[in-house]
Amino acid sequence: MSHPTHSDAAGDRPRAFDATSKLVAGIIGLLAVVAGLVIGLNNPFLNRAASAEGSRIDTLFSLTLGMATAVFVIVQGFLLYGIVRFSRQPDDESDGLPIRGHTRLEVFWTAVPAIVIVIVGILSYQVLAEIERPAEDALVVEVKAFQYAWQFYYPEHDVTATELHIPLDRQVLLRMRSNDVIHSFWVPEFRIKKDVMPDRVTETYITGTKLGAYPIVCTELCGAGHAIMRSQVIVQSDANFRAWIASQKTEAEAAAARPADPLAAGRRIFKNYACDACHVLTDARAMGVIGPNLDGIGARAGNIVPGQSAEEYLRLAIVKPNDYIAEGYPANLMPQDYGLRMSEQELAELVNYLLEMK
Ligand code: CUA
């Protein structure tokens, strides 16, 4: 049996490594590197980072994206070039060229990715080490996550808030813990994402480098209200931050200094349990729109379930919310465990407070 021989016509076919091919490959390679750099440096898919950590991560990401774009364009370029230039002609029944491999090329395309991966690995480690290096003057904030709100406690100042305020250019150490299920703390502009768990404290560092307000998003499915579990972080000048801390203290002290005000305790409980995240209540300056509006609830509560007193209704609607779903609102949105989380006294004070909302 004889081997098929190449016809003269097949011998005229373009060869893979002729001068034209090398030139075209060179141009494609050059374009790929330029395109990679342009896309990497002006990444159109990302907003500008607003934290020191985010800028470092972006630099690394841009570099990786640039290299990946170059590799992508080179590989796809050769593929397209091969398809167009070396496609089988009509009536050409001959075999392809008997190419058995190319040692130099294979060493090249094994060595280059290996070197690139090692470089990216070293750079990644450096960035990680840098963004997790604690500063001596870091501001500690204890973050508590619960279904479906965030709470921020400043142990240095004994202040609790539902928004995270941080001073510009100062490292902040977030010590995070969940009250119930797994949540995840994410500030897109800071490029920081970290799970918040009930059985351990997780830590992350942020250093705001641009004044402004940025969204805090829960990015771990944590229940029916997951999508609304948002807050914001406000990066402000040191002076404004101090003023804000002072105003929070004054508010808390004023509330504490008015023990005679029967509403103060209830208002505090309303905020501490993040009721304000989901309900409107003008007295507590609450503007949540997830659950029913509670303005005037004290006047209405007695007429909702026949035979049930207003006090009884409010207590049960907090402890067993699924049995008292207001029309137009879904079940399971309000956490079912307030009865376990609140002390009997807190519950009584909260109910009394809501009864006064007439
Ligand atoms: Cu908390 Cu999703």
Side-chain angles (χ1 to χ4, degrees):
M1 194 175 164
S2 66
H3 289 283
T5 50
H6 293 291
S7 68
D8 287 341
D12 292 340
R13 282 193 304 189
R15 290 178 53 87
F17 303 111
D18 64 13
T20 323
S21 305
K22 280 180 180 162
L23 181 68
V24 172
I27 293 171
I28 291 174
L30 203 64
L31 285 178
V33 172
V34 172
L37 276 175
V38 169
I39 292 181
L41 295 177
N42 305 289
N43 186 343
F45 306 111
L46 280 178
N47 43 24
R48 292 258 326 268
S51 71
E53 296 78 10
S55 302
R56 292 200 178 100
I57 292 169
D58 280 5
T59 307
L60 180 67
F61 183 71
S62 297
L63 185 74
T64 320
L65 185 68
M67 291 194 290
T69 308
V71 169
F72 178 80
V73 177
I74 287 172
V75 171
Q76 300 306 312
F78 273 120
L79 185 63
L80 285 176
Y81 177 71
I83 289 171
V84 173
R85 183 106 195 258
F86 304 111
S87 60
R88 191 177 70 84
Q89 302 301 309
D91 302 328
D92 178 2
E93 298 295 329
S94 62
D95 286 346
L97 293 176
I99 297 170
R100 296 204 52 181
H102 194 295
T103 310
R104 257 187 298 159
L105 198 58
E106 283 164 18
V107 168
F108 175 76
W109 74 41
T110 305
V112 169
I115 292 168
V116 167
I117 286 170
V118 168
I119 292 173
V120 171
I122 291 171
L123 291 176
S124 302
Y125 179 78
Q126 274 180 346
V127 170
L128 187 66
E130 268 173 35
I131 65 179
E132 290 191 340
R133 185 179 302 137
E136 294 232 322
D137 69 334
L139 172 71
V140 176
V141 181
E142 286 169 15
V143 180
K144 193 153 66 158
F146 38 93
Q147 292 169 313
Y148 301 98
W150 298 98
Q151 203 175 67
F152 306 98
Y153 176 66
Y154 297 76
E156 224 175 279
H157 309 282
D158 193 24
V159 159
T160 303
T162 53
E163 273 180 353
L164 177 60
H165 287 241
I166 60 171
L168 185 71
D169 290 331
R170 177 167 168 200
Q171 190 187 61
V172 177
L173 167 59
L174 300 179
R175 290 217 171 96
M176 307 191 285
R177 189 167 198 137
S178 167
N179 216 45
D180 35 57
V181 299
I182 301 176
H183 304 271
S184 187
F185 180 90
W186 182 35
V187 179
E189 280 82 356
F190 289 178
R191 316 285 193 256
I192 288 293
K193 192 186 261 186
K194 193 101 175 187
D195 273 8
V196 184
M197 288 175 271
D199 61 342
R200 76 195 75 171
V201 174
T202 49
E203 295 187 341
T204 194
Y205 294 96
I206 52 178
T207 311
T209 49
K210 269 167 67 187
L211 296 175
Y214 309 97
I216 295 171
V217 182
C218 176
T219 174
E220 179 75 57
L221 183 60
C222 55
H226 161 67
I228 54 105
M229 187 170 163
R230 284 167 171 256
S231 179
Q232 57 177 352
V233 50
I234 291 148
V235 182
Q236 50 196 177
S237 68
D238 197 50
N240 284 351
F241 174 72
R242 280 168 203 281
W244 176 78
I245 286 283
S247 76
Q248 295 298 109
K249 282 186 108 141
T250 319
E251 210 173 282
E253 274 161 16
R258 286 193 306 261
D261 178 3
L263 298 187
R267 200 180 290 125
R268 201 159 50 240
I269 292 162
F270 189 82
K271 289 197 141 179
N272 284 349
Y273 284 91
C275 309
D276 55 343
C278 295
H279 296 280
V280 166
L281 186 60
T282 309
D283 181 79
R285 287 194 269 158
M287 293 177 290
V289 292
I290 307 308
N293 185 322
L294 296 179
D295 277 340
I297 187 67
R300 295 196 304 274
N303 307 319
I304 299 175
V305 178
Q308 200 167 57
S309 72
E311 186 184 348
E312 218 176 332
Y313 172 83
L314 285 173
R315 170 178 286 264
L316 288 171
I318 294 166
V319 176
K320 294 184 162 189
N322 270 358
D323 294 349
Y324 294 87
I325 297 300
E327 210 186 315
Y329 293 90
N332 293 318
L333 199 52
M334 178 154 158
Q336 305 293 306
D337 61 351
Y338 281 123
L340 302 171
R341 278 154 55 187
M342 286 181 183
S343 70
E344 194 50 41
Q345 196 198 338
E346 285 176 320
L347 185 59
E349 278 174 333
L350 182 60
V351 168
N352 286 337
Y353 172 65
L354 292 173
L355 282 171
E356 295 302 318
M357 298 298 116
K358 294 192 170 150

